[in-house]
Amino acid sequence: MGRLIISVLSTPDNVGRGRGRCDDCPAIDTRDTQLRAHIDRPGCSLSWRWYRNGERLCCVDLSFQDDRVLVTDAADRAMRQPQAILLLRTPCHYGGRRLWFECPSCDSRCAKLYFRNGIFRCRKCHGLAYRSQLMAKGDRPRLIAQRIRRSLGGQSNLASPFPARPPWVSWRAYCKLREKCERFEARALESLMARLRSGTRF
């Protein structure tokens, strides 16, 4: 077995709130640089361990082939039959190829698969939700505005000046992002004022 990789997950904050959250589940991502380095080298393998608060959540062994990844649940010694996850590659507009997983359940193309109940599946098959989907509706505009600011190299604080245009972003794209951010900042302010008027606790 090749390299051992350890990932640490934060403590989940949606316990008892219905749907599971993507952030709370161990996952493999084709965009992860460590995983991608092994995928591009058929025949190699690695062990991956996920921990939370010092407790091991799961451990899997990954073996890479040209068109698939073989996953074995290393924690369950009674079930050593590997699960095959197909790899798909699509051409990019400016050359190269983009790598995807094929969900073993619904055959959909996805960049990320989540480990739950002993199997890797896509977010929809596991019934997982994004953090923004589990937030109160009034908090979503603020979250979107903060995300746009961070994508431009700025701060999450909406009271801080809007970040300048980074060299890698065109003026056209920058103006669109700024307009979108200002729109969601206005919605966030409206939501804040409505809460203050109604006396809603934050």
Side-chain angles (χ1 to χ4, degrees):
M1 185 57 61
R3 184 179 181 185
L4 173 66
I5 298 179
I6 296 176
S7 295
V8 180
L9 298 180
S10 59
T11 303
D13 58 9
N14 65 325
V15 176
R17 299 185 191 177
R19 295 179 67 184
R21 200 181 73 180
C22 293
D23 295 350
D24 300 334
C25 293
I28 51 176
D29 192 332
T30 59
R31 298 161 295 188
D32 186 283
T33 54
Q34 298 178 94
L35 186 63
R36 188 61 182 262
H38 287 76
I39 290 178
D40 292 335
R41 294 165 54 199
C44 67
S45 58
L46 60 84
S47 294
W48 209 310
R49 308 290 184 262
W50 286 269
Y51 287 83
R52 177 183 286 129
N53 298 332
E55 180 181 355
R56 190 172 69 181
L57 295 180
C58 67
C59 51
V60 297
D61 295 334
L62 306 174
S63 178
F64 301 93
Q65 300 180 3
D66 287 327
D67 62 344
R68 67 193 61 205
V69 180
L70 300 180
V71 183
T72 305
D73 187 350
D76 192 345
R77 297 299 176 183
M79 297 180 62
R80 298 295 297 175
Q81 184 67 28
Q83 173 190 182
I85 300 175
L86 295 180
L87 296 172
L88 306 175
R89 292 174 173 85
T90 57
C92 299
H93 291 296
Y94 297 101
R97 293 184 298 173
R98 181 167 296 172
L99 186 66
W100 308 88
F101 292 123
E102 182 179 275
C103 175
S105 179
C106 66
D107 298 332
S108 64
R109 187 178 66 187
C110 49
K112 200 168 186 178
L113 292 177
Y114 300 89
F115 191 76
R116 200 179 194 194
N117 300 324
I119 56 176
F120 278 103
R121 294 291 186 269
C122 69
R123 178 183 67 85
K124 292 182 179 179
C125 288
H126 273 320
L128 300 173
Y130 292 119
R131 181 194 297 266
S132 60
Q133 292 175 310
L134 296 172
M135 294 182 66
K137 186 177 181 180
D139 290 331
R140 293 180 187 174
R142 173 182 56 80
L143 181 67
I144 294 173
Q146 290 176 331
R147 186 181 302 152
I148 293 174
R149 284 172 169 264
R150 288 195 301 269
S151 71
L152 296 172
Q155 302 177 7
S156 297
N157 187 357
L158 302 186
S160 63
F162 193 79
R165 182 185 69 87
W168 61 85
V169 178
S170 68
W171 275 109
R172 181 178 180 181
Y174 175 77
C175 291
K176 285 186 176 181
L177 286 172
R178 180 162 189 164
E179 180 182 348
K180 180 179 180 180
C181 186
E182 290 174 349
R183 186 166 65 250
F184 280 99
E185 286 181 3
R187 293 181 188 177
L189 181 59
E190 291 175 4
S191 177
L192 174 62
M193 297 304 294
R195 290 188 183 188
L196 291 174
R197 287 193 294 267
S198 63
T200 303
R201 295 182 61 184
F202 292 90

